[in-house]
Amino acid sequence: MKLVRAKDYLDMSRKAANIITAQIIMKPDSVLGLATGSSPVGIYKELQERYEKGDLDFSKIKTVNLDEYRGLSGDHPQSYRYFMNQHLFNVVNIAIENTYVPNGLAEDPEKGSAEYIKIINSLGGVDLQLLGIGNNGHIGFNEPGTPFGLEVHCVNLTDDTIEANKRFFDKKEDVPKQAYTMGIKTIMHAKKILLVASGESKADAIAKAITGPITPDLPASILQLHNDVTIIGDEAAFSKLPL
Ligand code: GLP
């Protein structure tokens, strides 16, 4: 595991964008696994700027997102499809048909999950997976206690997560109770993993993920077993790590 200390959110975003930029330059037809939430917004902004300067070309890039709320259509402003279109896909030269997000409206969760597994496999797997981390140590929407062996599946969100994500909705009751997510097994199949964390609310989860026991109770702890993981954290997020 490689730990990279960043000064603040902007520095974290630039350092992470550097790694993604290098990936795209070295392999222009990369499959990028992408994430949503506040953590990656700055990274997407950096990538947009680099594209606008002519330094990045997304024309052959394919993307698969980690997760999506169950019950939200891609037109819903809080859906992860909408987020991705707004923050990245609509502002760079990626072909929208090369971008994949789980279908939040799939009627049957089993079928919806199986379809997404098929898509990921048909792309030949993920070259670089970007991850954020939940306050409770979740990655994607793999909540504490989720078995490590799962592929894409539908989950019940914990109250912690609903509470943390209600800031994006008018009221807590509007936050969907379920979501589709790549499972830990799917995430661990990515060739490279890049996790970003910013702010004090992530400090506990980061310290446990890096130095604690590997346990489904802290889903991100599984990353200790992956052979190519980079974690970029700002000072606050790394504040509980031993020096
Ligand atoms: C959500 C997403 C995760 C994300 C987490 C942290 O629950 N499903 O993929 O990592 O939130 O979000 P933020 O970056 O906004 O703190």
Side-chain angles (χ1 to χ4, degrees):
M1 228 179 215
K2 197 169 153 203
L3 303 185
V4 178
R5 287 173 191 271
K7 280 196 290 290
D8 50 24
Y9 181 81
L10 182 63
D11 190 34
M12 176 196 83
S13 304
R14 287 193 179 137
K15 287 181 158 76
N18 288 346
I19 293 176
I20 298 173
T21 300
Q23 175 70 38
I24 296 174
I25 291 171
M26 298 306 287
K27 190 177 180 215
D29 60 348
S30 290
V31 177
L32 302 179
L34 298 178
T36 50
S38 317
S39 308
V41 169
I43 302 173
Y44 296 147
K45 195 160 166 277
E46 282 289 320
L47 294 177
Q48 178 187 352
E49 284 169 14
R50 292 168 195 205
Y51 160 72
E52 285 169 355
K53 277 192 208 143
D55 292 337
L56 266 185
D57 176 15
F58 289 83
S59 60
K60 295 196 186 104
I61 293 292
K62 296 188 174 111
T63 66
V64 266
N65 262 76
L66 272 174
D67 46 15
E68 177 62 286
Y69 286 116
R70 181 165 185 224
L72 298 193
S73 79
D75 298 335
H76 190 290
Q78 297 314 330
S79 72
Y80 286 167
R81 159 56 76 182
Y82 191 95
F83 174 104
M84 289 309 303
N85 286 351
Q86 198 187 24
H87 289 283
L88 189 67
F89 303 152
N90 289 348
V91 294
V92 298
N93 67 331
I94 197 162
I96 201 77
E97 62 273 19
N98 288 339
T99 68
Y100 299 92
V101 179
N103 174 11
L105 294 185
E107 270 178 33
D108 178 69
E110 302 256 316
K111 273 195 206 149
S113 304
E115 268 166 32
Y116 205 59
I117 294 173
K118 242 200 235 163
I119 290 172
I120 299 169
N121 291 341
S122 73
L123 296 173
V126 172
D127 290 303
L128 172 66
Q129 177 67 55
L130 176 63
L131 297 175
I133 184 169
N135 300 343
N136 61 5
H138 74 229
I139 45 178
F141 266 133
N142 293 279
E143 298 282 28
T146 310
F148 284 152
L150 295 183
E151 294 195 68
V152 179
H153 61 289
C154 182
V155 295
N156 295 323
L157 300 177
T158 62
D159 194 57
D160 271 3
T161 297
I162 292 174
E163 189 63 38
N165 289 359
K166 74 174 185 198
R167 66 190 194 278
F168 299 112
F169 293 80
D170 289 339
K171 47 187 188 317
K172 189 173 171 185
E173 294 70 53
D174 294 343
V175 185
K177 309 279 179 292
Q178 290 188 312
Y180 289 97
T181 185
M182 285 187 194
I184 298 290
K185 185 173 174 187
T186 323
I187 293 171
M188 289 294 279
H189 271 143
K191 293 191 186 92
K192 290 183 197 153
I193 294 180
L194 172 61
L195 185 147
V196 291
S198 166
E200 215 187 319
S201 66
K202 304 292 169 70
D204 264 324
I206 282 289
K208 286 183 190 149
I210 297 172
T211 63
I214 298 166
T215 162
D217 293 338
L218 204 292
S221 63
I222 190 72
L223 300 177
Q224 293 176 38
L225 297 181
H226 193 283
N227 65 9
D228 192 347
V229 178
T230 302
I231 299 185
I232 307 180
D234 64 9
E235 278 178 18
F238 277 1
S239 60
K240 295 195 176 163
L241 278 179
L243 286 177

